[in-house]
Structures are given as structure tokens and as C-alpha cells.
Amino acid sequence: MDLSKYFKKSELIPAIVQDYQTGEVLMLAYMNEESMRKTLETGYTWFWSRSRQELWNKGATSGHVQRVIEIYGDCDDDTLLVKVEQTGAACHTGNRTCFFNKIR
């Protein structure tokens, strides 16, 4: 599969991670072409850390892994929706989702 079409506008694209059973949005991270390829090859999520400037396999140290069920590209080929089976918390704070700070 040629992944380059997803990276024509930018080297990084947002990846929205969603629980495949409940539809709950768990987190947003960024993928580059290498992390997307590793995700497709392994069946588990890989992302590009903008702060550390390196690849990271979600849950590799915590055990809170994300097994990929489906991946969708949006209509512009510049955002991904990754549906996963989440083990444990998705957020590094220990919360199930990264979206727990209600603003309104």
C-alpha cells in the first residue's frame, strides 16, 4: 500500500483514536509515514512524539496497548481515524480518555 498520499501536505498527520465498541474518543496523536507503516504491520498503534522527536509504541512501557481494529482516512487524506481495542487507560494521566477536562 502506498501511504505517501497521506503525507503530501505534511510529514505529520493527526490520528484520532477511538474505542471501537463504544465510539468514545480516547486520544489524538500524530503519525508520520513510518509510524503508520509500523501500525499497519504490527496491528498496534505507533505514533510520532513531537516533544521527544521519536517513534513511540502506545503502551510499550505501561502495558496500556491499543490493538487496531480499523483505520479510516478522511476525505482529504490528511487525518486518520483509528478504531482500537484499548487495554487500560489511554491517557498518560491514568484516565481512560485524554478528553476529561470539561470546558463547558
Side-chain angles (χ1 to χ4, degrees), residues 26-28 31 38 46 51 68 71 73 92 103-104:
L26 300 173
M27 57 182 282
L28 172 99
M31 286 189 177
K38 287 180 83 71
W46 286 79
S51 59
V68 175
I71 301 177
H92 73 281
I103 294 172
R104 182 175 178 184

Side-chain angles (χ1 to χ4, degrees), residues 21-104:
Q21 289 183 319
T22 67
E24 179 180 32
V25 175
L26 300 173
M27 57 182 282
L28 172 99
Y30 290 86
M31 286 189 177
N32 63 10
E33 193 167 341
E34 183 180 5
S35 64
M36 188 174 176
R37 183 169 281 106
K38 287 180 83 71
T39 296
L40 291 168
E41 289 171 357
T42 66
Y44 289 86
T45 54
W46 286 79
F47 302 106
W48 178 257
S49 171
R50 295 180 301 162
S51 59
R52 295 187 313 268
Q53 294 291 295
E54 64 184 14
L55 286 175
W56 59 284
N57 175 222
K58 177 66 177 161
T61 55
S62 68
H64 298 171
V65 296
Q66 296 173 334
R67 186 172 68 85
V68 175
I69 305 300
E70 299 173 316
I71 301 177
Y72 293 89
D74 77 338
C75 57
D76 294 322
D77 293 329
D78 62 2
T79 303
L80 299 174
L81 175 63
V82 184
K83 296 189 175 194
V84 302
E85 177 183 50
Q86 177 70 48
T87 299
C91 186
H92 73 281
T93 64
N95 286 286
R96 168 124 177 102
T97 173
C98 292
F99 297 97
F100 59 89
N101 290 313
K102 186 172 182 179
I103 294 172
R104 182 175 178 184

